[in-house]
Amino acid sequence: MTIDLRRFSINTATLGYQAPLSDTIEAVARAGFGGISPWRREVENENAPGLARQIRAAGLQVSGYCRSTCFPGASKREWLANVEDNKMALRFAAELGTKCFVLVVGALPPGSRSLPDARQQVADGIAALLADAQALGVSLAIEPLHPMYAADRACVNTIEQALELCALLDPHATGRLGVAIDVYHTWWDPKVHDMMARTASEGRLLAFHVNDWLVPTADILMDRGLPGEGVIDLGALTNSALDAGYDGLFELEVFSSRIWRLSVSEILELSSRACLSITRPKEGRLNSAT
Ligand code: ZN
């Protein structure tokens, strides 16, 4: 059983930022996808309300807005500047009507070896954003990144860790704080299916990013695969999300210097084929197998 292409969204990074967002919106809609997830670089110096109108007119949802400035800084002043930058981004996120603002939380500031300190700065940073998120009606999605990134990109590395932060900072589950699950970062986790179900049951599954893990991986950042090219059991993972009641879009997010050499239309063609290649296991098989 496949998933309807309208349930998929294109993260514009997948297209290598080759065209202005206004062109990308039309191309993504024409290709039959149901949503788009733009990056700040494509929005902040442009006519954001106009882009928001164009996205709606094209019949697309905004599955996410990428992404936060990392929170930890080498000084209190740097931390504060990072928080302020994220507050500014939230205003654009609100204008776009996005499902969530994606938090890539950051890790060790230069010269630091203290992950506990970095994690505290992250918790404090998210706490400092929550009032603005509430006021603007924007949800914050913490994206746990693969542990390979724990030094430089994100010191939140598992879904469980993200959920603990959510429980600490938003104990009443207001809907304004949740998790963006990216299979690239979480597929290896023995608890991935259980944690996905828990995220959904706590009302915190805000985004779901799909792509694939290539073997071998030539570059940890820029060598992701399209669904079907690698070893991730995307059928099982999307099935778990749907079984858990996830009703959002599956966002295709593929950073790949190999794929970026292709044109936007070629990438979209490959992308739609790749998304439609994700086949859900027959009902019941997954549960009995795990
Ligand atoms: Zn992602």
Side-chain angles (χ1 to χ4, degrees):
M1 198 164 97
T2 57
I3 303 168
D4 193 297
L5 197 58
R6 295 280 303 166
R7 282 297 295 269
F8 288 94
S9 160
I10 293 290
N11 183 301
T12 58
T14 304
L15 306 174
Y17 316 107
Q18 296 182 48
L21 185 56
S22 54
D23 293 352
T24 305
I25 292 165
E26 301 304 325
V28 167
R30 260 198 318 272
F33 293 93
I36 192 165
S37 178
W39 281 64
R40 288 167 66 184
R41 65 173 82 175
E42 301 170 302
V43 173
E44 288 183 356
N45 294 316
E46 306 295 332
N47 171 8
L51 290 167
R53 278 194 300 276
Q54 193 191 346
I55 291 170
R56 277 195 300 277
L60 298 175
Q61 298 178 48
V62 181
S63 57
Y65 183 47
C66 298
R67 65 172 173 75
S68 66
T69 296
C70 296
F71 291 103
S75 64
K76 177 87 191 209
R77 217 167 99 178
E78 270 184 38
W79 174 86
L80 204 56
N82 296 339
V83 168
E84 287 307 312
D85 192 63
N86 285 328
K87 285 185 179 175
M88 188 267 290
L90 280 183
R91 294 196 284 276
F92 286 99
E95 270 181 356
L96 284 180
T98 183
K99 176 92 186 291
C100 59
F101 179 53
V102 177
L103 303 182
V104 171
V105 298
L108 297 174
S112 170
R113 289 194 173 91
S114 175
L115 272 178
D117 173 66
R119 288 178 177 142
Q120 188 61 50
Q121 291 201 47
V122 167
D124 293 345
I126 296 172
L129 282 192
L130 268 174
D132 286 53
Q134 290 283 7
L136 291 164
V138 175
S139 296
L140 307 174
I142 302 169
E143 182 166 357
L145 298 199
H146 191 283
M148 287 279 282
Y149 292 111
D152 56 354
R153 284 179 184 266
C155 56
V156 174
N157 306 103
T158 63
I159 302 169
E160 190 168 30
Q161 201 187 345
L163 285 175
E164 281 167 12
L165 262 178
C166 289
L168 178 75
L169 302 174
D170 177 42
H172 303 298
T174 59
R176 291 292 166 233
L177 186 59
V179 184
I181 293 181
D182 185 328
V183 297
Y184 199 76
H185 300 299
T186 57
W187 71 280
W188 58 272
D189 186 341
K191 293 183 182 172
V192 64
H193 291 283
D194 291 344
M195 285 301 132
M196 202 185 297
R198 190 177 133 196
T199 307
S201 74
E202 292 180 6
R204 298 198 195 267
L205 185 46
L206 297 178
F208 195 104
H209 299 172
V210 292
N211 42 62
D212 215 336
W213 185 279
L214 300 179
V215 178
T217 288
D219 184 294
I220 195 72
L221 185 63
M222 288 301 300
D223 192 29
R224 292 189 183 193
L226 286 165
E229 291 186 316
V231 296
I232 299 180
D233 190 347
L234 279 156
L237 289 168
T238 53
N239 197 56
S240 274
L242 292 167
D243 274 357
Y246 179 62
D247 61 0
L249 299 183
F250 295 104
E251 182 177 314
L252 185 72
E253 185 187 49
V254 181
F255 304 93
S256 166
S257 39
R258 172 180 57 98
I259 289 165
W260 287 4
R261 287 194 213 109
L262 304 173
S263 70
V264 167
S265 58
E266 285 170 325
I267 299 173
L268 285 170
E269 170 64 29
L270 285 178
S271 296
S272 64
R273 257 190 273 153
C275 290
L276 293 173
S277 78
I278 299 173
T279 310
R280 296 179 63 188
K282 285 198 187 74
E283 223 168 315
R285 198 201 87 183
L286 183 69
N287 287 342
S288 56
T290 49

